[in-house]
Amino acid sequence: MAGTGYKTKQRMLVEDYLRGLKGTHITAKALCEGLQERGVKIGAATVYRQLDHLVEDGVVRKYLLGPGDAACFAYVGQGGCEHEHCFHCVCTECGRLYHVECDDLAHISEHLAHEHGFTIDPQRTVFYGICDACAGVR
């Protein structure tokens, strides 16, 4: 991976904050606000730049949910998703992004590869629908 080659104080502040949120997704704006709430003085441009570096290094994943929506970011560490078959679901009502670790979904990947000659990247594959909370299912 390309990477920055060194770790700055600003990078460590952003990475540490995201590491504390592992398993959740956050926009750059919300990240800036969270850092400010902790008393961290860091400019928005610096946060965006550090997010770009962390994405390049594979420590953070960037998700584009739809046209006009702000990108969101999730800390994944050096190994990426912890599960080989990590897919993502986005609720079209509330906008929440869910990690779905499911071996059954791997069959879809295998089918597409063998029957249609198309290899998907499960970590970048997003399914859209409605979550249980928005559907009123408990």
Side-chain angles (χ1 to χ4, degrees):
M1 289 178 212
T4 60
Y6 60 93
K7 293 188 177 185
T8 64
K9 178 183 175 185
Q10 291 84 3
R11 177 191 167 118
M12 293 305 296
L13 288 168
V14 171
E15 186 174 349
D16 288 346
Y17 187 86
L18 290 171
R19 186 181 295 112
L21 299 174
K22 188 170 183 175
T24 61
H25 305 85
I26 188 169
T27 64
K29 180 181 177 185
L31 174 59
C32 289
E33 292 168 355
L35 288 168
Q36 287 176 355
E37 288 172 8
R38 289 187 175 181
V40 175
K41 297 194 184 295
I42 185 171
T46 301
V47 169
Y48 280 94
R49 187 169 46 256
Q50 295 308 319
L51 284 169
D52 286 342
H53 292 312
L54 290 165
V55 169
E56 286 175 19
D57 290 347
V59 176
V60 169
R61 286 219 184 268
K62 180 178 183 177
Y63 300 97
L64 301 171
L65 303 180
D69 291 339
C72 62
F73 301 86
Y75 179 85
V76 294
Q78 292 297 333
C81 283
E82 295 173 4
H83 193 273
E84 180 182 357
H85 305 295
C86 180
F87 294 83
H88 303 90
C89 295
V90 174
C91 178
T92 56
E93 294 293 316
C94 67
R96 185 168 175 201
L97 176 67
Y98 297 86
H99 281 278
V100 177
E101 297 175 351
C102 180
D103 292 329
D104 289 337
L105 288 175
H107 298 299
I108 294 170
S109 295
E110 292 166 6
H111 173 79
L112 287 170
H114 293 132
E115 299 297 323
H116 304 284
F118 187 81
T119 302
I120 64 169
D121 178 352
Q123 294 182 3
R124 296 186 64 187
T125 301
V126 180
F127 294 98
Y128 293 89
I130 300 175
C131 70
D132 284 349
C134 291
V137 178
R138 297 273 176 211

